């Protein structure tokens, strides 16, 4: 993993596996965490009004999104009870992130060292836990599909920060079936935010039971995506869902190889472009 400096001065990595940066280099890693995730999910407002907030950090990575969440929530309400459930497939990433300069977030490193220094179990997936009475963190080390299937508690998340690598290289975490699992874990009034503006992603969220809206444009022209069971999907997005190119990724067993997931969608798009009835495709 190569260290890269982003626009706001924060550091990120270039993934050897996916050949993509972990964060937007044009917006800045810390800026992206706040503007694309914390603000759209209204975590500060929840903390101020209710005094407790739970985050599902979908792809923990360097930990920046969780750090921004903790900082945002506890700045809004220092006495708030804060809980984070997260998953990450490569433990080396957050461990290596502790070697970087976190700037204004440096004060949170002791909590992350406490989390990453205490593995409590290996089954059903390796799990790290930290709690100090105010903050509770749980980090599952596993592929996202395996991780979400292992979470038995339902409808607990006030916010979901969905931040995998792009659908182009990591389609298994952008499927209808995967979003259906996230729908199982989010509260009815909870909000999911993701950087992706792709129509197949938005349609998959809609199919899984989320109302979908456009989010903010930070670091690029296209707007991010916000979704919630309590939202109505915007009409202009529904129109786009009718296009052949809007066909979502599918992974019926939540275990299929990414090349099969990609090729299945590509085949469906080609069939739709030939105007075959939808029932012949699914």
């Amino acid at each position: 993993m190569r260290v890269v400096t982003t626009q706001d001065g924060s550091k990120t990595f270039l993934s050897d596996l996916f050949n993509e940066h972990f964060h937007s280099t044009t917006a800045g890693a810390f800026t992206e965490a706040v503007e694309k995730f914390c603000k759209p999910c209204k975590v500060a407002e929840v903390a101020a009004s209710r005094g407790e907030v739970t985050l599902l950090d979908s792809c923990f990575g360097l930990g920046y999104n969780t750090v921004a969440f903790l900082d945002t929530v506890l700045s809004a309400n220092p006495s708030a009870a804060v809980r984070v459930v997260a998953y990450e497939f490569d433990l080396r990433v957050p461990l290596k992130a502790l070697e970087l300069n976190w700037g204004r977030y440096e004060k949170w490193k002791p909590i992350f060292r406490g989390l990453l220094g205490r593995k409590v179990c290996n089954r059903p997936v390796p799990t790290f836990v930290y709690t100090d009475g105010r903050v509770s963190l749980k980090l599952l080390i596993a592929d996202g599909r395996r991780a979400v299937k292992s979470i038995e508690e339902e409808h607990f998340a006030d916010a979901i920060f969905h931040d995998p690598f792009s659908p182009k290289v990591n389609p298994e975490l952008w499927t209808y079936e995967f979003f259906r699992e996230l729908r199982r874990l989010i509260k009815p009034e909870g909000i999911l935010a993701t950087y992706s503006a792709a129509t197949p992603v938005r349609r998959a969220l809609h199919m899984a039971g989320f109302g979908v809206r456009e989010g903010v444009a930070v670091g690029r022209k296209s707007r991010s995506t916000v979704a919630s069971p309590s939202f109505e999907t915007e009409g202009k997005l529904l129109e786009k869902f009718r296009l052949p190119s809007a066909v979502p990724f599918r992974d019926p067993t939540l275990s299929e190889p990414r090349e099969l997931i990609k090729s299945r969608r590509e085949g469906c798009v080609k069939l739709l472009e030939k105007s075959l009835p939808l029932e012949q495709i699914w």
Side-chain angles (χ1 to χ4, degrees), residues 193-206:
T194 183
Y195 66 87
S196 177
T199 298
V201 167
R202 290 171 170 173
R203 186 179 177 190
L205 283 163
H206 176 76

Side-chain angles (χ1 to χ4, degrees), residues 115-143:
L115 170 68
L116 298 171
R118 186 167 181 268
K119 184 165 69 171
V120 297
C121 71
N122 282 316
R123 299 179 64 183
V125 298
T127 303
F128 292 76
V129 174
Y130 171 90
T131 182
D132 65 4
R134 177 186 60 164
V135 174
S136 173
L137 306 178
K138 178 185 288 187
L139 176 60
L140 310 177
I141 303 300
D143 167 83

Side-chain angles (χ1 to χ4, degrees), residues 245-260:
S245 58
V247 170
F249 292 104
R250 299 295 304 267
D251 181 12
T253 65
L254 277 174
S255 63
E256 295 182 354
R258 64 175 58 110
E259 290 306 319
L260 175 59

